[in-house]
Amino acid sequence: MKIVVLTGAGISAESGLKTFRDSNGLWEGHDVMQVATPEGFKNDAALVLEFYNQRRRQLLEVQPNNAHTALAQLEATHDVTIITQNVDDLHERAGSTAVIHLHGELLKVRSSVNAQYIVDWQQDVCVGDMCPNGHQLRPHIVWFGEAVPMLDVAIDHVESADALLIVGTSMQVYPAAGLVQYASNHAPIYFVDPKPSIDSSNRITVFAEKATTGVPKAIERLG
Ligand SMILES: NC(=O)c1ccc[n+]([C@@H]2O[C@H](COP(=O)([O-])OP(=O)(O)OC[C@H]3O[C@@H](n4cnc5c(N)ncnc54)[C@H](O)[C@@H]3O)[C@@H](O)[C@H]2O)c1
């Protein structure tokens, strides 16, 4: 059975990485329009780079939780693809092997001019850090207003899923939230979130609880 898992910031909350929709639209105290848009980067590159430097340092100090691990273990019995809105690498560290990052990755940087130049990066990035062609490096993050290059690949996976598991997302950030519409009518949907934005129905089973307890329950229901 092919299982496609859509994850959002909520799955990493119990690892210690805050969601921002739960904090009045602030991401670790910052206005997202300042730190997560191309305009914000143009206005104050040093502030934006430092914001992601902090997120990167924080990421290197936290660990995957039970929910990440349960999804990785699901690969032993099913064909599992994870489509995540998260920029952390906690799914990979838990052992998942097929992870699509819709919104980019904190542990990579790219050239601010040539989008094809993408490299692994664990250190801070500062104004003046350049790619080999002399252009400023920027976080490999899809900012609000930018295209989502992995979207078509993600749609193909959702279309061919036998079951969909959605974990820790407000389903408010498009185009990620629209992915569920591509699921086949025959595919059951399981949704885990302590403040679910979707109601249960014939097709959708909601587990209104945290990821670490809800994901193992949802997996049990998958059979
Ligand atoms: N860890 C990360 O990589 C990270 C963290 C924050 C924000 N972001 C970026 O910002 C975008 C939007 O972020 P957002 O925070 O508004 O996410 P979001 O809109 O997907 O909302 C977070 C959801 O997580 C749920 N949640 C909170 N605690 C939970 C728990 N313990 N278990 C399960 N669900 C829980 C909330 O009820 C909410 O529905 C993301 O798509 C991502 O690109 C990434």
Side-chain angles (χ1 to χ4, degrees), residues 8-10 12-14 17-22 27 85-88 103 168-170 173 193-195 210-211:
S12 298
E14 290 164 88
L17 300 178
K18 284 192 187 138
T19 67
F20 67 71
R21 234 148 278 270
D22 288 324
W27 192 354
Q85 295 172 64
N86 295 343
V87 296
D88 65 53
H103 294 167
T169 170
S170 60
V173 180
D193 194 301
K195 291 186 201 153
K210 290 182 173 180

Side-chain angles (χ1 to χ4, degrees), residues 87-146:
V87 296
D88 65 53
D89 66 339
L90 296 181
H91 284 301
E92 287 90 340
R93 274 199 261 157
S96 286
T97 59
V99 185
I100 295 170
H101 285 271
L102 282 180
H103 294 167
E105 296 172 68
L106 257 183
L107 298 182
K108 290 184 178 168
V109 294
R110 69 172 189 250
S111 162
S112 52
V113 173
N114 172 14
Q116 309 310 317
Y117 182 81
I118 303 166
V119 289
D120 291 336
W121 198 276
Q122 302 229 336
Q123 312 301 315
D124 285 356
V125 188
C126 300
V127 173
D129 286 339
M130 304 293 185
C131 75
N133 286 338
H135 301 297
Q136 175 67 45
L137 291 173
R138 59 162 273 182
H140 179 50
I141 301 285
V142 176
W143 285 325
F144 288 101
E146 293 187 319

Side-chain angles (χ1 to χ4, degrees), residues 22 25 44 58 84 86 90 113 131 135 148 168 199 204 220-221:
D22 288 324
D44 194 341
Q58 182 187 34
T84 187
N86 295 343
L90 296 181
V113 173
C131 75
H135 301 297
V148 179
D199 290 330
I204 304 178
E220 215 176 287
R221 288 288 285 281

